[in-house]
Amino acid sequence: MSDSKLLSLSRAIARFVPDSSQVVMGTSLETFIPFAAGHELIRQRKRDLTLIGPISDILFDQVVGGGCVHKIRAAWVGNVITGSGYNFRRAVEGGTIEMEDHSNLTVSMALRAGAMGVPFMPARTALGSDLFKTNTSLKVISCPFTGDTLAAVAAINPDVAIIHVQRADEYGNAHAWGNLGITREACMASRHVIITAEEIVSPDVITSDPNRVITPGFRVSAVVHAPWGAHPSPVPGYYNRDHQGFIDYRTASKTSETFADWQARWVDAVHSSDDYLRLLGEERVAELALNHHVIPEAVDYGY
Amino acid sequence: MGIKNKGYTLPQLMVTAAAREIADNEVIFVGMRLPMLSFFLAKSTHAPNAVGVYELGIVRDTVAPEGILTMGDLPNLFRAQWLADTADAMGLLQQGFVDASFIGGAQVDRFGNLNTSYIGSVENVDTRLPGSGGACDLASLGKRHIIIMAHQKHRFVPRVDYITSPGYGEGPGWRQQMGLTGGGPSAVITTLGVLHFDPDTCEMTLTSVHPGVTVDEVLENTGWPLQIAAELSQTPEPTDAELSMLRRFDPKGYWTGA
């Protein structure tokens, strides 16, 4: 058996996310957003990162607010239930970060091209749009077979993917279930993969259901035990979305000053998932528990 | 606005109007916020066999069992028809299996081009908005799409500052010339009325005004000389049955409250 890849969150981020890294996160869109890992980027005062993703909800806004970001390659940055991401707005309007505008399909195709080891993927989206103005990774081409006009989306190969899942073994084999967004492409396209997991389980649990593995363990660089690591976003089988967390963040992020207070309380003062859960409080944690369960029929992978 | 004291809110009227744009058996690509409620309402009334596709990689042929605020809320995953990847949802769209989708906007022009990215210019940004998400894909690839937005003069402009989601571009023939395979915008549901697109000129045309709204009010809030349909109607009010369903889908009135 290979060596264990289990690391603390701080060691995993320190080792695999140097300054200036291209980082893909938030790949399941509104679920499994790796907030604990994103907060660690802020705590370690990372600089000049490029963030890659589809919509990210408020995670990218937080990392921008933490001063860690040089460039964003994404389809949407904001707060899904309230609208604008204020740190993001301030940074783009003030010209302090670069933007490469994607759609959800183009960012998915960019990572798929990276995952497939080809320079681009074709798509029929965005033609005639102004995404081409702010995204040099898009070019209009003519199909060599049909002559159709297509958008060519250049491959993105991030330095590191940060992916939150339900469970993983210490060797990097991870199970995720639910909607997966662009997670599979992101793992395959990235040089390093950091898995943060609600639970660390034995390899037997993982190999009992290999269809649920998101990427083979040998492609994963680090595994981190991070219970509640996606809060306030939801994790299927573990906890519901904490809407109030997103509403409170809107208010907290309205000005740079109020954001600094938010960061001091919710990021800089937190050093473990226990710290975070204490801050959240037992009552709120209990409110997010699942009340309805669906346990699938067992399947047989035997021979 | 004449909505006050009518027993329903403006968002409830808009959601109901949008729901009526969905036909039974259609495949609908469901966007965030009000469009989710419109889809649920259509499914629970006149379109029980409609199927919902969500960009997160979700396909559902039933309404989520509880009120939700985002498409990723766990009730929307509960006993879904299919949980998959974004590329799978987008593949259905790109292959032409999606009949209609819904998009919100910050700025729209007479040809239904939508801007949700930059107010001002790319070089000189006045306001940075969140961006496309899946909106550009829906506008590019769906058989038709329906726009839902506030009707104000600074939003209804002669020419959008940035095309995030293409409508009819500069007019007839433009979409074909660009290589776009989707049909383009079919309707705009606003805070003042409902508009459709003239099949010959591709121009937005006012087809109904909401109860208590005058045509002049619509014209004053539109930044170009707006075409008005010969047979202008009044947007039908939500029925009691529709309102009680909407209260079930949005129990705290987060999206449709006063």
Side-chain angles (χ1 to χ4, degrees):
Chain A
M1 204 88 198
S2 50
D3 291 342
S4 172
K5 293 170 179 176
L6 203 55
L7 292 177
S8 67
L9 182 57
S10 63
R11 285 198 60 199
I13 296 295
R15 184 158 162 204
F16 293 108
V17 193
D19 285 352
S20 306
S21 293
Q22 295 218 33
V23 187
V24 57
M25 308 191 279
T27 56
S28 288
L29 287 75
E30 292 164 358
T31 50
F32 298 107
I33 304 174
F35 280 103
H39 292 181
E40 185 63 25
L41 297 174
I42 300 172
R43 266 192 299 276
Q44 292 191 15
R45 303 294 188 261
K46 297 293 179 188
R47 289 294 176 262
D48 296 321
L49 300 179
T50 294
L51 302 184
I52 301 158
I55 68 162
S56 99
D57 216 327
I58 56 177
L59 177 60
F60 283 10
D61 191 76
Q62 294 175 356
V63 183
V64 168
C68 311
V69 180
H70 160 69
K71 183 175 178 179
I72 294 183
R73 312 173 82 180
W76 196 94
V77 182
N79 185 329
V80 168
I81 62 167
T82 69
S84 274
Y86 295 108
N87 287 314
F88 170 66
R89 269 194 65 173
R90 280 189 285 274
V92 176
E93 291 166 15
T96 56
I97 59 171
E98 270 179 48
M99 188 66 202
E100 180 179 285
D101 287 283
H102 280 270
S103 72
N104 284 340
L105 177 52
T106 67
V107 77
S108 151
M109 287 302 106
L111 289 165
R112 185 156 282 190
M116 296 300 292
V118 295
F120 71 92
M121 287 289 283
R124 296 185 189 278
T125 190
L127 298 163
S129 79
D130 286 331
L131 295 194
F132 290 84
K133 276 190 189 167
T134 49
N135 187 340
T136 53
S137 301
L138 299 177
K139 289 211 187 307
V140 177
I141 59 165
S142 175
C143 172
F145 300 104
T146 62
D148 288 358
T149 304
L150 300 169
V153 186
I156 295 180
N157 287 103
D159 295 311
V160 57
I162 302 178
I163 307 292
H164 191 76
V165 300
Q166 284 98 341
R167 62 191 184 200
D169 69 21
E170 60 183 310
Y171 306 106
N173 302 292
H175 273 180
W177 59 93
N179 61 290
L180 294 183
I182 61 168
T183 301
R184 289 183 231 261
E185 298 89 316
C187 291
M188 285 280 285
S190 299
R191 244 180 304 287
H192 293 290
V193 178
I194 298 174
I195 297 287
T196 66
E198 292 293 326
E199 292 186 72
I200 304 300
V201 297
S202 82
D204 282 352
V205 172
I206 303 295
T207 54
S208 74
D209 194 0
N211 274 144
R212 222 183 292 285
V213 174
I214 55 166
T215 208
F218 78 86
R219 289 286 284 102
V220 173
S221 298
V223 178
V224 174
H225 183 214
W228 289 81
H231 176 272
S233 74
V235 173
Y238 287 78
Y239 40 90
N240 280 293
R241 190 175 196 270
D242 186 355
H243 301 302
Q244 196 58 45
F246 291 86
I247 294 166
D248 292 346
Y249 180 76
R250 170 193 50 188
T251 312
S253 59
K254 273 210 164 150
T255 69
S256 306
E257 292 72 28
T258 54
F259 174 78
D261 294 342
W262 178 88
Q263 183 187 320
R265 178 176 159 83
W266 286 95
V267 178
D268 291 340
V270 172
H271 296 286
S272 66
S273 45
D274 287 343
D275 283 356
Y276 189 81
L277 285 175
R278 260 194 301 276
L279 196 54
L280 211 52
E282 278 174 26
E283 199 181 325
R284 193 150 161 201
V285 165
E287 277 171 15
L288 300 174
L290 308 190
N291 296 310
H292 304 276
H293 302 274
V294 189
I295 309 300
E297 283 292 316
V299 297
D300 191 351
Y301 284 95
Y303 60 90
Chain B
M1 296 281 308
I3 290 293
K4 287 186 191 108
N5 307 319
K6 284 194 182 288
Y8 57 86
T9 66
L10 184 54
Q12 285 172 331
L13 178 72
M14 292 169 72
V15 166
T16 307
R20 292 185 180 129
E21 298 286 328
I22 297 173
D24 199 14
N25 296 305
E26 287 196 314
V27 176
I28 306 298
F29 209 106
V30 188
M32 55 172 81
R33 308 184 178 201
L34 296 188
M36 281 199 312
L37 299 176
S38 296
F39 174 69
F40 296 167
L41 184 58
K43 261 209 78 76
S44 307
T45 53
H46 62 278
N49 301 306
V51 174
V53 179
Y54 298 78
E55 63 195 357
L56 285 68
I58 302 172
V59 175
R60 284 194 79 89
D61 59 356
T62 55
V63 171
E66 273 182 28
I68 54 175
L69 293 192
T70 82
M71 51 182 105
D73 290 11
L74 299 189
N76 208 37
L77 277 62
F78 185 88
R79 292 198 179 276
Q81 191 174 54
W82 194 29
L83 292 179
D85 297 344
T86 294
D88 294 316
M90 290 294 173
L92 289 172
L93 181 67
Q94 195 161 246
Q95 286 182 81
F97 285 113
V98 170
D99 295 299
S101 62
F102 292 87
I103 306 178
Q107 215 184 36
V108 70
D109 63 27
R110 69 170 74 194
F111 294 120
N113 302 301
L114 265 184
N115 177 13
T116 52
S117 302
Y118 296 91
I119 303 295
S121 67
V122 168
E123 298 76 24
N124 213 332
V125 183
D126 287 336
T127 305
R128 170 67 211 203
L129 305 164
S132 161
C136 172
D137 308 316
L138 302 176
S140 298
L141 301 167
K143 285 185 196 157
R144 68 180 196 280
H145 63 273
I146 294 124
I147 297 164
I148 304 182
M149 60 183 285
H151 205 138
Q152 295 163 320
K153 198 161 193 167
H154 71 277
R155 298 180 184 276
F156 277 65
V157 294
R159 184 92 192 141
V160 290
D161 295 345
Y162 181 99
I163 300 180
T164 310
S165 305
Y168 296 105
E170 290 158 14
W174 182 86
R175 288 183 68 92
Q176 293 77 0
Q177 204 185 325
M178 291 297 122
L180 290 169
T181 49
S186 62
V188 187
I189 316 285
T190 80
T191 42
L192 298 178
V194 179
L195 305 97
H196 289 89
F197 289 84
D198 184 302
D200 296 324
T201 64
C202 296
E203 259 203 63
M204 207 187 284
T205 305
L206 183 66
T207 50
S208 84
V209 288
H210 296 336
V213 175
T214 65
V215 172
D216 278 348
E217 225 175 309
V218 177
L219 294 178
E220 280 163 25
N221 285 286
T222 305
W224 69 87
L226 182 66
Q227 299 295 311
I228 309 214
E231 288 174 24
L232 186 67
S233 60
Q234 189 180 83
T235 313
E237 300 184 324
T239 64
D240 289 344
E242 287 168 329
L243 288 172
S244 80
M245 276 178 206
L246 282 178
R247 280 190 281 269
R248 186 156 61 82
F249 304 143
D250 186 21
K252 291 179 180 164
Y254 189 86
W255 302 118
T256 56

